[in-house]
């Protein structure tokens, strides 16, 4: 047992000179290798239980870690979100799918990632003609309105939002969100999450256009198409 403990200490004990940071990284690395109870996490990192609990709980606040239904710590959505920012793999996989979505719907298509207190458009495709609602790449939009914001809220990636919980329950159930004349008068949109193999939300795929074309229920108009495109993109990653 003593040799195993020494191995764990060496495995997780890179010394940056900032003890609390080294301990936090040790905890994240341990959880990344498999979900951990407090006892298992303390044993694996050779940290006292009180220290382990304090740091892991702090990492929960920042969504680096989260809890499973059984109470074990697992990797949270923040790390997936950090890795997704303008990832070349994400962008290259999204490009043909977004172009096909434009062809199918005739509407504008965007890909958003979470960036602090905003969502940033990291890719966009526009139809060649007609009335469109262009969102330039690099645009930072609020998290208080729009179907993409609802997706981020539904999957607990933002803490403060104005959306009713029953509405977010539907987003979690359907993996689709919609908005009408909310962020901008006359604009409607439908969005779906892009997820990794663990189910963490990496980005949000959106179709947006005039309310007169998307209708009062954008999910009824293009929900199935957007959902299928999001599923393909998630699988490609």
């Amino acid at each position: 047992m003593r040799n195993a403990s020494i191995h764990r200490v060496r495995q997780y004990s890179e010394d940056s000179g900032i003890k609390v940071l080294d301990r936090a990284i040790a905890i994240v690395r341990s959880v990344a290798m498999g979900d951990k109870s407090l006892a298992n996490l303390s044993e694996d990192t050779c940290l006292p239980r009180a220290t382990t609990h304090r740091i892991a709980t702090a990492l929960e606040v920042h969504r680096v870690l989260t809890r499973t239904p059984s109470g074990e710590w697992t990797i949270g959505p923040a790390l997936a979100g950090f890795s997704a920012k303008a990832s070349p793999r994400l962008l290259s996989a999204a490009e043909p799918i977004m172009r096909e979505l434009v062809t199918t719907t005739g509407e504008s298509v965007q890909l958003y990632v979470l960036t602090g207190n905003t969502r940033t458009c990291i890719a966009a495709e526009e139809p060649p003609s007609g009335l469109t609602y262009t969102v330039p790449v690099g645009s930072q939009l609020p998290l208080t309105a729009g179907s993409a914001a609802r997706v981020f809220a539904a999957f607990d990636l933002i803490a403060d939002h104005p959306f009713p919980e029953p509405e977010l329950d539907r987003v979690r159930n359907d993996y689709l969100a919609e908005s009408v004349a909310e962020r901008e008068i006359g604009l409607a949109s439908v969005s779906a999450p892009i997820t990794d193999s663990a189910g963490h939300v990496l980005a949000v795929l959106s179709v947006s256009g005039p309310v007169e074309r998307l209708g009062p229920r954008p999910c009824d108009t293009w929900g199935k198409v957007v959902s299928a495109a999001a599923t393909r993109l998630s699988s490609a990653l």
Side-chain angles (χ1 to χ4, degrees), residues 30-139:
S30 175
V31 173
M33 297 176 67
D35 298 348
K36 297 288 193 306
S37 66
L38 175 59
N40 291 338
L41 188 55
S42 175
E43 179 184 3
D44 197 40
T45 57
C46 297
L47 294 173
R49 283 199 183 196
T51 300
T52 304
H53 184 269
R54 175 170 53 84
I55 296 175
T57 301
L59 291 169
E60 266 191 274
V61 172
H62 293 285
R63 294 183 173 81
V64 174
L65 299 183
T66 188
R67 299 285 189 118
T68 67
S70 62
E72 293 181 318
W73 274 291
T74 189
I75 293 297
L79 293 182
F82 295 153
S83 66
K85 303 295 185 290
S87 159
R89 184 180 179 190
L90 174 62
L91 292 175
S92 63
E95 183 177 357
I97 293 173
M98 292 175 68
R99 286 180 177 174
E100 183 178 325
L101 198 52
V102 169
T103 300
T104 301
T105 65
E107 306 294 354
S108 302
V109 178
Q110 301 86 31
L111 187 66
Y112 294 101
V113 295
L114 191 64
T115 47
N117 295 322
T118 62
R119 51 186 168 104
T120 297
C121 178
I122 60 169
E125 295 288 340
E126 304 293 336
S129 61
L131 178 62
T132 61
Y133 285 81
T134 302
V135 179
V137 172
S139 297

